[in-house]
Amino acid sequence: MVSKVTSPRKSIHTVLERVGVYGFVGGSSQKRLKYDFQDEEDDTMEMVQIGAERTKNVLILMSDTGGGHRASAEAIRDAFKLEFGDEYRIFVKDVWKEYTGWPLNNMEQQYKFMVKHVGLWSVAFHGTSPRWIHSVYLAAIAAFYAKEVEAGLMEYKPDIIISVHPLMQHIPLWVLKWQGLQKKVIFVTVITDLNTCHRTWFHPGVNRLYCPSEEVAKRASLDRLAESQIRVFGLPIRPSFCRAVLSKDDLRVELEMDPTLPAILLMGGGEGMGPVKKTAKALGEALFSKELGKPIGQMIVICGRNEALASTLRSLEWNIPVQIKGFQKQMEKWMGACDCIITKAGPGTIAEALIRGLPIILNDYIPGQEKGNVPFVVDNGAGVFTRRPKETARIVSEWFTTKSDDLKRKSENALKLAQPNAVFDIVKDIHELACQRGPLANIPYVLTSSFSSLI
């Protein structure tokens, strides 16, 4: 059945003029709209009859500015599939990179450059924190790339949009407002920073804000979000990690580790950053007992994509059992086989270590979003912080010998902090939101006026 309705073009035109955006779109589009609707000469358009229940589209917005955003997005995708099967169709997309121009399509390279120059990143993080500053620059970007962002969002005709990146709230929500889709599309934000997150994470227009900790929830409350919008479930970790049933003895056989020696897992993130080489050499010395003439521990080093680091470490001679590995996709096994971990303060690695009950030695952090992760671990008794490789090695050697009780206590505290069901709690809550939607949620996208067609 097809019927005629009056096009909402004129009313949307009025709204856009009121918010001061109409007529200020520029820039070159990398991709144009892949959908359209047909206006009749009498300013009407076709209306498709609403059908029965259908598979809902979920669009997850992420960016590879650090590994945590994609990891969280894929964890949510996998949890949806496990919990609801074909009820949802999931798209994980970097809409900025695929559809817009500079600076949005180059955020990954910009981020990598700035975190290598931490002073620059610290200025950028704190300098853009005030609401009036980030609101102005996001509004300016929206004025240039509104139609490109609209194309990126509407290509997938989402019923649900999930943002796992701090810069992917404001502009998508503005696009939904301009199109009159706020009552049709559920928009939720999943924060992937454990403590000191940037204020662009907080937007009062979201249907739900999922916080990884009470500290973040308090920050959200101070930033105009209502209690009814906030849920504290934890950081989403991929289901294959959360639900893995592992035996340390079996894992050590599978991974060709020494079955009896305690093991330290040394990580430098996906890019092999931080003082990995110096720390590995210090551990190699500290975990060999000259008095006993034998090792008191073993070491696993994960170098990520840093092939030069891996090659250098493999060329060294070691007095203890050592395995040097590149990028790994089954970290649940390496964590399950080890007794403690050394890493920078990345939220994903911390959350995974807590689930496995690993005491954590934090040896570095990125200013801004990772700084608060240090007290989150240390103040809760799940680990320590030191940037000095020799002190790190001393702590590990003591944990493996004279201070094993401290190692056990920190392991117990880590398990208390862990939230292994976070990703499932998140997708179940989103599903409940979808079930609560009224008839407007089933209105086809053909009824919505394209912002791009107005300018």
Side-chain angles (χ1 to χ4, degrees), residues 47-160:
M47 173 176 169
V48 179
Q49 184 180 25
I50 297 174
E53 284 296 318
R54 58 179 175 79
T55 300
K56 293 181 174 65
N57 292 335
V58 179
L59 176 60
I60 305 179
L61 302 177
M62 51 72 61
S63 174
D64 286 313
T65 49
H69 303 296
R70 179 175 290 277
S72 293
E74 293 178 348
I76 294 168
R77 176 200 64 196
D78 294 347
F80 261 111
K81 290 180 179 178
L82 285 173
E83 288 293 317
F84 305 109
D86 296 333
E87 196 170 339
Y88 294 93
R89 185 185 297 111
I90 316 296
F91 304 95
V92 177
K93 293 293 175 179
D94 184 344
V95 170
W96 285 190
K97 186 175 182 179
E98 294 183 24
Y99 287 85
T100 69
W102 188 90
L104 293 181
N105 66 348
N106 197 38
M107 287 198 301
E108 182 180 349
Q109 287 71 28
Q110 295 173 41
Y111 178 78
K112 287 180 179 179
F113 175 80
M114 285 194 286
V115 295
K116 288 180 180 178
H117 304 81
V118 291
L120 181 61
W121 172 251
S122 182
V123 170
F125 183 92
H126 296 291
T128 57
S129 181
R131 186 183 299 115
W132 73 270
I133 292 180
H134 64 246
S135 295
V136 167
Y137 80 72
L138 288 172
I141 291 173
F144 275 96
Y145 293 119
K147 60 183 178 182
E148 284 84 358
V149 173
E150 181 197 20
L153 297 180
M154 295 304 110
E155 177 177 352
Y156 304 100
K157 295 180 171 56
D159 299 282
I160 301 168

Side-chain angles (χ1 to χ4, degrees), residues 9 50 52 72 93 124 171-173 196 248 285 300 313 320 330 354 357 377 382 403:
R9 173 169 302 201
I50 297 174
S72 293
K93 293 293 175 179
I171 299 176
L173 283 165
T196 46
K248 180 174 288 188
E285 296 176 3
I300 308 297
L313 292 177
I320 64 172
Q330 293 185 308
L354 296 177
V377 170
K403 294 186 177 180

